[in-house]
């Protein structure tokens, strides 16, 4: 049994050394991962759009009651109405306002306001369109805003559409009108050179005896530029737990291997010669039997230098070798002559 235990200790020590060669680098790498995840602040670069400036165009509308009617006194200013009637207030007053929202504004602007008349079929493409120039203006825009007020007789626009359709002998379709303001601007906003064109529109619905426009409307256009910035990168919570659990498991395995190795070594260590002898005995196990050596008196003895030689002699003489594990003696007896090999 001593040799068997020795061999077990040998295998345990050998496997422990291999396992530690694998575990130690794995623990170091895992520990670095846990440290970086838990304690090192990591950043990543992300792309975002930074607003440079915003251009706003808006219309505010009202109509003055110009004719006697059963609803409003003459001179009343109507605003935010869903419907205006030709018989009471045929003239629409619309104020267009343009502004650039930026820290530093230096723009030269030109504006063209027109009324676009059209006859359409079922909301599709118009049969025809006609533009009427209402106003043209230029202005220098700094920290203030540009405003232009126009007055349009909507009834006259409806009559103009009917007249054109009559000349064209067009008896179907839906009349429509639209106030369109085009702003051409050039200069600097926040120190950056810009040149551009923006168009703003106010649809007018023409009905039989009435017209309607939207309330105060603002059409905005924000211009951005791509930027890069560093933001803190937070690893997923599951990643933190997995890395930590993996690190602790590896450390626990290493501690177990170390304790096992130390325990084996304290039990007597490893005898290489004993391992070699055990391997030889296993090799010749078919010619060896276990027994007890008590010593034979008045018997001559031949001492062999190796187990191999003893087994060879036993085979030649058709004998089995007896092995006493306690004394470490191999022997056999023929004609009161002992043939022996002692591994000690």
């Amino acid at each position: 049994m001593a040799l068997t235990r020795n061999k077990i200790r040998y295998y345990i020590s050998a496997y422990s050394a291999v396992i530690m060669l694998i575990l130690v680098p794995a623990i170091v790498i895992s520990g670095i991962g846990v440290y970086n995840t838990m304690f090192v602040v990591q950043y990543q670069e992300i792309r975002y759009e930074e607003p440079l400036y915003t251009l706003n165009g808006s219309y505010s509308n009202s109509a003055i009651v110009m004719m006697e009617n059963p609803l409003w006194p003459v001179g009343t200013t109507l605003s935010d109405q869903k419907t205006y009637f030709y018989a009471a207030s045929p003239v629409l007053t619309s104020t267009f306002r343009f502004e650039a929202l930026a820290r530093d504004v230096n723009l030269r602007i030109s504006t063209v306001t027109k009324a676009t008349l059209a006859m359409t079929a079922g909301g599709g493409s118009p049969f025809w369109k006609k533009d009427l120039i209402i106003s043209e203006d230029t202005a220098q825009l700094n920290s203030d805003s540009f405003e232009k007020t126009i007055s349009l007789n909507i009834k006259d626009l409806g009559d103009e559409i009917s007249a054109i359709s009559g000349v064209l002998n067009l008896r179907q379709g839906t009349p429509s009108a639209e106030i369109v303001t085009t702003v051409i601007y050039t200069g600097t906003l926040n120190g950056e050179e810009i040149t551009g064109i923006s168009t703003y529109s106010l649809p007018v619905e023409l009905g039989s005896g009435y017209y309607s426009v939207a309330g105060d409307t603002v059409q905005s256009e924000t211009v951005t530029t791509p930027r890069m910035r560093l933001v803190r990168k937070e690893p997923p919570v599951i990643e933190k737990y997995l890395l930590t659990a993996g690190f602790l498991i590896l450390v626990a395995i290493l501690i177990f291997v170390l304790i096992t190795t130390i325990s084996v070594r304290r039990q007597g260590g490893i005898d290489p010669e004993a391992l070699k002898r055990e391997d030889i005995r296993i090799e010749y196990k078919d010619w060896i039997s276990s027994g007890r050596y008590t010593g034979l008196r008045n018997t001559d003895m031949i001492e062999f230098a190796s187990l191999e030689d003893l087994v060879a002699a036993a085979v030649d003489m058709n004998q089995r070798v007896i092995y006493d594990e306690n004394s470490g003696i191999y022997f056999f007896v023929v004609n009161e002559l002992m043939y022996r090999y002692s591994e000690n």
Side-chain angles (χ1 to χ4, degrees), residues 148-187:
K148 178 67 177 182
T149 300
I150 60 172
S151 295
L152 284 176
N153 191 312
I154 304 301
K155 184 176 184 306
D156 289 346
L157 295 182
D159 293 341
E160 177 76 9
I161 293 174
S162 297
I164 294 174
S165 296
V167 172
L168 297 176
N169 197 25
L170 182 64
R171 293 182 175 84
Q172 60 179 350
T174 302
S176 66
E178 186 177 23
I179 300 173
V180 179
T181 302
T182 300
V183 180
I184 303 172
Y185 51 88
T186 182

Side-chain angles (χ1 to χ4, degrees), residues 212-282:
S212 61
V213 294
D216 291 353
T217 59
V218 179
Q219 301 171 45
S220 295
E221 176 189 3
T222 299
V223 177
T224 63
T225 185
R227 296 279 192 250
M228 302 298 293
R229 67 181 175 188
L230 291 176
V231 297
R232 182 168 180 170
K233 181 181 179 182
E234 293 291 343
V237 176
I238 186 66
E239 180 180 332
K240 293 182 179 181
Y241 287 139
L242 288 177
L243 284 174
T244 304
F247 174 75
L248 294 177
I249 290 172
L250 290 175
V251 171
I253 294 174
L254 179 62
I255 292 174
F256 173 77
V257 171
L258 288 175
I259 292 174
T260 303
T261 303
I262 293 172
S263 176
V264 167
R265 292 186 180 277
R266 285 183 175 178
Q267 291 176 7
I270 300 170
D271 185 354
E273 290 299 325
L275 289 174
K276 183 178 179 181
R277 291 194 297 268
E278 185 175 355
D279 290 337
I280 294 173
R281 185 171 67 254
I282 293 173

